[in-house]
Amino acid sequence: MFMDRLLANRRGVHLTREERTLLEDAISEVLTIDPRRTLVEAGETVTISTLLLEGIMSRHIDDHRGLRQLVAIHVPGEFVDLHAYPMLELDHAIGTLTTATIAVVPHASLKEILDPRPELARKLWFSTLIDAALHRAWLFRVGRLDAVGRVAHFLCEMEARLRAVGLSDGRRFVLSLTQSDIAEICGLTTVHTNRAMRQLRESGLCLVRSSLVDIQDPEGLARRGDFSPHYLYLADPEDSPVSKREMT
């Protein structure tokens, strides 16, 4: 149950029923955390990894004045800090952006199930490689796109990631982030983010109302944001792993 969204609809990698059971059995506790809470500070020794079940979490870096820069966000079905398993400590902090429900997996339990199972270890490695692909896409977004393009690219990415875990219908999804959050993600001021969203709305591409995102022209929004989902390694629609799970 807890692992149903992990690596869901990712190209070329599917967890078997046995693998999902092993990972679920490794969970030591399930917690619900309030929004805007820091779970792990940069440089802190880490002995667990966190699977996000509900909500949105971030990885962020604070400067000497305490100002935060988001460097990644996570949606349900993603390990937030699986890379802490081999690294033991992180160079960034981890926190919640919304109320979040997490499953805690001790590293000792991961070692016990992964050491004799290199194929399962490879699949979890795959999830960290997706994280790396996301970082490269974020660098492209901030380095090469204008303000409207950055917001368009980000909204396209979030739709694709949420659709992979069944939380978007391809056009509408809930995104409980503030404009300030989106501004940090896109390397913009809140004022520029507000203007970008207004331009997307006036162009008939996308409407953001409170926490509901309504993509009115998916192809047009993707063009405006120079977005291609290739880096997300999503499975082809006709190759859905949902049916495969029942057979494994």
Side-chain angles (χ1 to χ4, degrees):
M1 177 179 66
F2 295 125
M3 297 294 167
D4 284 351
R5 288 173 171 164
L6 178 63
L7 293 172
N9 291 302
R10 299 293 178 167
R11 187 167 66 246
V13 56
H14 309 304
L15 292 175
T16 67
R17 182 176 301 161
E18 177 188 11
E19 289 168 340
R20 291 198 309 275
T21 299
L22 283 166
L23 289 170
E24 288 178 0
D25 289 345
I27 296 171
S28 62
E29 57 183 334
V30 175
L31 304 171
T32 298
I33 312 296
D34 291 336
R36 313 288 164 177
R37 293 283 300 276
T38 298
L39 276 68
V40 179
E41 296 284 0
E44 181 179 333
T45 300
V46 182
T47 60
I48 62 169
S49 283
T50 302
L51 176 70
L52 181 58
L53 302 177
E54 301 290 344
I56 299 177
M57 294 181 65
S58 73
R59 290 190 257 158
H60 59 273
I61 297 174
D62 295 329
D63 67 14
H64 68 280
R65 296 168 295 175
L67 298 177
R68 181 186 64 174
Q69 175 63 52
L70 297 182
V71 296
I73 66 170
H74 289 276
V75 303
E78 297 178 354
F79 266 106
V80 180
D81 51 359
L82 187 59
H83 49 294
Y85 172 51
M87 298 178 73
L88 304 181
E89 66 178 44
L90 300 176
D91 52 18
H92 54 273
I94 292 173
T96 57
L97 292 175
T98 68
T99 299
T101 302
I102 62 172
V104 176
V105 182
H107 290 166
S109 299
L110 277 177
K111 178 176 175 58
E112 183 177 343
I113 64 175
L114 294 182
D115 280 1
R117 297 176 180 87
E119 179 61 15
L120 179 54
R122 184 194 69 81
K123 292 176 181 179
L124 293 189
W125 182 26
F126 184 92
S127 76
T128 65
L129 294 177
I130 292 176
D131 287 344
L134 283 163
H135 280 298
R136 290 188 290 273
W138 282 38
L139 286 172
F140 162 77
R141 178 165 63 225
V142 173
R144 284 289 175 255
L145 301 181
D146 64 8
V148 178
R150 294 181 197 184
V151 175
H153 187 284
F154 171 67
L155 294 175
C156 286
E157 177 187 289
M158 292 305 296
E159 190 286 316
R161 291 169 72 181
L162 290 170
R163 179 161 31 94
V165 294
L167 296 177
S168 170
D169 65 4
R171 287 180 177 266
R172 296 177 181 85
F173 58 95
V174 173
L175 185 65
S176 299
L177 298 178
T178 66
Q179 283 198 9
S180 179
D181 293 329
I182 296 174
E184 286 188 52
I185 290 165
C186 295
L188 301 169
T189 66
T190 303
V191 171
H192 277 91
T193 300
N194 183 274
R195 290 174 181 168
M197 288 183 171
R198 184 176 69 245
Q199 288 186 44
L200 293 175
R201 180 180 68 249
E202 292 173 348
S203 300
L205 297 178
C206 184
L207 177 61
V208 181
R209 293 173 293 187
S210 186
S211 60
L212 179 64
V213 179
D214 184 354
I215 299 178
Q216 299 161 316
D217 182 354
E219 293 79 14
L221 187 68
R223 284 195 301 272
R224 186 61 183 87
D226 202 3
F227 174 79
S228 168
H230 181 74
Y231 66 95
L232 298 173
Y233 294 87
L234 300 174
D236 294 330
E238 61 271 18
D239 189 32
S240 172
V242 174
S243 58
K244 292 185 177 183
R245 286 182 185 147
E246 301 307 316
M247 296 186 294
T248 54

